[in-house]
Amino acid sequence: MGENPLPADGGRRLVGTRRLLVAGALGVLGTATALAASVPAGAAAGTLGAAAAQSGRYYGAAIAAGHMNDSTYVATWDREFNAVTPENEMKWDATEPSRGSFRFTSADQIVSHAQSKGMKIRGHTLVWHNQLPSWVGGLSASDLRSAMTNHINNVMGHYKGKIYAWDVVNEAFADGGAVGTLRSSVFTQKLGNGFIEEAFRAARAADPNAKLCYNDYNIDDANANKTRGVYNMIKDFKARGVPIDCVGLQSHLSSGSVPSNYQQNIAQFAALGVDVQITELDIGGSGSAQADAYRRVTQACTAVPRCTGITVWGITDKYSWRSGDTPLLFDGNFNKKQAYTAVLDALNAATPNTSPSPTTSPNTSPSPTTSPNTSPSPNTSPSPTPPVGGACSATIETTNSWPGGFQSTVTVRAGSSAVNGWTVKWTWPSGQSISSLWNGTQSGSGSSVTVSNASYNGSIAAGSSTTFGFTANGSAATPTATCTSP
Ligand code: G2I
């Protein structure tokens, strides 16, 4: 999956802080003054939070209570962001340093500030093998089980009603090994792999209104074994009714390592019926390469309705856990970097998300992936042009597969004339069946599949294309498809 900026220990090694010399070298823009409330509908917003809000999403930052005495830090947080994740303050070692004795002072500081500004709060994190107080390691299995439930009850209970989404279990999957391999930890050793499910069930009971997320790093590539393991777990949870509402893609990346299938990855998780949140975004690099990478990540999220928000893992490079990589949107002097402008522009260009987070019937939200040249160019007359019939073609490509299932993207291409409405048909060779489909309308059943355009992607300009996608049961197949247009 390309270069991986994380060390083999999974990235918990704190990168030594280096003096940053980037001030002035990067794009420094004037202070934005537009506030969310003062942005007229449709106008470009001047801050990340306001721009994200216009598309029905949030844009958050990880905040450390220890830096809240830095007035520029807090001013930048307040001005630019409409969501927050406490960087360390809600972790087990911080909230329950000794068994049964809970401390919330630092986390409360962040939460009350965020509440006073009307920000969304992500809770991070309840069950994680790291930043775990040493007393947990010495417990017997039954003690560990009750300690885990007690921890979830107390921490979620303390913040009940205040948290938008909780990272219930963090980083439980191993980096190597077969698909689905969990990292060995005190939890797997004493409770077995079922600890994840136990934690989610306890979390639902503790605060039924919080969204419950599984959060991990290196699950950004749609085809990586680790991604497939998490995908299979969520699919299984959904099938068995284990409560789960969202997946967090941490996305600790570097400029060259944004996977080419990143958007497709978001879409495949969303197709399982969970929200997708980019939870710890930082991208090492500088200048236009870093800006391009940030732009791509932003566009990938805004293209998928169930991608409900993005959190960057810090505000300024100065305080970043990987400071030496200058991975954030503001330099060490809180100047906006080129990456900042790329993100703001991409958020402003996003299609408003009218139904960002359906709670029922997954996969019904449209996820337009129509290629750019199918949209009318700015100079096109808005007057209705008569529908032009024309031939189309369709090709099926396998974009992911796992034991017993696969994901495909179907490209529907117009010939030398525009098409207005299309229908694609194929026959499964060996008992495959579609489990979910997006950007199209499926009819019929059995081995003969018929998919017509969705309401928003029926018109394709001559020579252009649009896509729809699906996940299916069975072994991956790419049958020949026919396309007809009225
Ligand atoms: O490692 C990056 C992130 C990976 N995903 C989960 C996140 O929770 C994690 O965050 C980082 C924090 O950004 C660091 O600030 O987690 C690290 C530890 O696991 C945090 O570093 C720790 C240092 O290791 C400690 O020495 C320090 O006392 O931060 C602590 C509080 O400043």
Side-chain angles (χ1 to χ4, degrees), residues 50-66:
Q54 282 191 334
S55 87
R57 295 178 174 83
Y58 66 84
Y59 206 94
I63 289 289

Side-chain angles (χ1 to χ4, degrees), residues 6 10-14 62 64 86-89 91 93 124-125 128 130-131 170-171 215-217 250 252 280 282 313 319-322:
L6 297 174
R12 255 87 23 233
R13 178 172 56 88
L14 190 63
E87 187 172 354
N88 290 296
E89 294 74 1
K91 293 172 181 175
D93 63 350
H124 175 80
T125 173
W128 187 26
N130 201 13
Q131 286 177 288
N170 198 42
E171 303 176 4
N215 189 50
D216 214 329
Y217 65 89
Q250 293 185 7
H252 294 295
E280 303 183 14
D282 53 14
W313 205 241
Y319 300 147
S320 164
W321 72 292
R322 45 190 294 224

Side-chain angles (χ1 to χ4, degrees), residues 40-195:
T47 68
L48 303 171
Q54 282 191 334
S55 87
R57 295 178 174 83
Y58 66 84
Y59 206 94
I63 289 289
H67 297 312
M68 284 177 67
N69 55 2
D70 178 337
S71 58
T72 315
Y73 179 76
V74 176
T76 309
W77 174 24
D78 289 350
R79 187 188 71 228
E80 294 289 342
F81 299 92
N82 59 359
V84 65
T85 305
E87 187 172 354
N88 290 296
E89 294 74 1
M90 288 183 175
K91 293 172 181 175
W92 199 321
D93 63 350
T95 52
E96 194 185 3
S98 58
R99 190 171 183 183
S101 119
F102 289 87
R103 290 182 201 173
F104 297 111
T105 321
S106 308
D108 283 353
Q109 216 187 323
I110 296 173
V111 167
S112 52
H113 185 94
Q115 282 196 304
S116 75
K117 304 288 177 189
M119 295 177 182
K120 275 194 162 64
I121 303 163
R122 296 194 79 263
H124 175 80
T125 173
L126 295 165
V127 179
W128 187 26
H129 65 278
N130 201 13
Q131 286 177 288
L132 198 57
S134 55
W135 62 266
V136 178
L139 302 178
S140 67
S142 64
D143 268 4
L144 178 60
R145 179 167 282 117
S146 61
M148 182 176 85
T149 309
N150 189 52
H151 182 74
I152 290 170
N153 285 341
N154 276 276
V155 179
M156 288 186 80
H158 181 78
Y159 292 110
K160 194 169 181 173
K162 299 181 178 176
I163 304 294
Y164 164 71
W166 269 105
D167 291 330
V168 177
V169 175
N170 198 42
E171 303 176 4
F173 280 74
D175 284 303
V179 172
T181 308
L182 295 191
R183 160 198 311 282
S184 175
S185 70
V186 63
F187 300 109
T188 55
Q189 285 156 20
K190 294 194 177 150
L191 305 180
N193 292 358
F195 85 90

